[in-house]
Amino acid sequence: MERVEVRMPHLGVSVTEGTVLAWRVAPGATVAADEPGLLADYFPLRAPAAYFLCTYTPQDAEPYSYELNRWHRPPVAAMEGVRWVDTNMAYRVEGDAVQFYDYTDGQLVELPHRLEFPLEPGGTWVYTTQEGRTALAAVDCLDGVTVPYGTHDGCYRVAFIEQGVGEWTLVLAPGHGVVREWGELYGVCSWECKLVRYDEAANPADVGNKNR
């Protein structure tokens, strides 16, 4: 039988080796190099808080940076298993999909942004927003994505483009989920966030935004 080297994903600057705990394919099954990404690999609901360094650039003002802390559960008792994406957006794993939500005035409102797994490299789909606008989503693969929390291979880049409104791009790394994101509201602002670290002992009550 031919032996094939399996390259492990880069898990961060402090991790140098790892152990295979489980196989998701049967013995002897064929695994393609570009096999679609599975939900459990790219949206793990990790318990610690994740810290991102973000830069916000208003159209008519100077850019500024702040630290964004994301916990796996916002203060909404009825929405278990929810994680932050940014200050007013969250997501929740629902079966084999990831549903995004707007977070306003203590309430989560379902958004049209939704990812169906497994992700297919080169896949695109068109959908209609609640306001009736046409939007496009596209998926491709990336290696060598570097953020303050290390360099990551085997990533997926997912871009959402809403006609006449703006665009939003996520980079998903295996074992971490979102490690980088950027976006733009046309004529208003742009932003970028990069994963910096995790805090295993974080308290959800302390999670928030800290301007720098």
Side-chain angles (χ1 to χ4, degrees):
M1 178 182 296
E2 181 184 1
R3 297 181 64 86
V4 178
E5 180 180 347
V6 178
R7 183 180 60 180
M8 289 196 58
H10 194 298
L11 298 179
V13 294
S14 64
V15 179
T16 59
E17 64 181 37
T19 302
V20 176
L21 299 178
W23 293 101
R24 290 193 173 88
V25 294
T30 299
V31 179
D34 59 351
E35 183 171 341
L38 301 175
L39 185 147
D41 296 330
Y42 291 88
F43 273 86
L45 288 177
R46 293 186 55 165
Y51 291 76
F52 289 76
L53 178 61
C54 301
T55 301
Y56 182 85
T57 306
Q59 183 184 32
D60 300 320
E62 292 295 318
Y64 62 89
S65 296
Y66 61 95
E67 188 176 78
L68 174 64
N69 309 340
R70 293 174 178 165
W71 188 253
H72 77 294
R73 182 169 26 184
V76 180
M79 297 295 288
E80 292 293 328
V82 174
R83 292 186 69 177
W84 296 110
V85 172
D86 55 29
T87 52
N88 62 350
M89 186 177 289
Y91 71 79
R92 183 172 66 170
V93 174
E94 301 177 353
D96 290 327
V98 172
Q99 177 63 53
F100 293 94
Y101 294 87
D102 178 62
Y103 183 72
T104 304
D105 298 327
Q107 301 294 322
L108 286 168
V109 178
E110 187 173 297
L111 292 169
H113 307 318
R114 183 179 178 88
L115 291 178
E116 299 285 346
F117 283 79
L119 294 175
E120 296 280 358
T124 61
W125 61 96
V126 177
Y127 59 96
T128 303
T129 68
Q130 293 175 334
E131 293 79 15
R133 290 186 288 265
T134 299
L136 170 71
V139 178
D140 62 353
C141 294
L142 293 175
D143 281 329
V145 176
T146 299
V147 295
Y149 194 74
T151 298
H152 307 271
D153 292 330
C155 298
Y156 282 89
R157 176 172 55 193
V158 184
F160 298 95
I161 303 173
E162 188 172 348
Q163 186 181 40
V165 176
E167 51 194 79
W168 176 44
T169 301
L170 301 176
V171 176
L172 313 175
H176 297 286
V178 179
V179 294
R180 185 184 175 203
E181 68 164 280
W182 64 91
E184 178 183 4
L185 288 176
Y186 300 146
V188 178
C189 65
S190 62
W191 66 92
E192 181 179 18
C193 297
K194 298 179 179 180
L195 179 64
V196 175
R197 69 186 189 279
Y198 290 102
D199 185 351
E200 301 287 344
N203 185 333
D206 297 332
V207 173
N209 300 318
K210 299 177 182 179
N211 290 331
R212 288 188 173 186

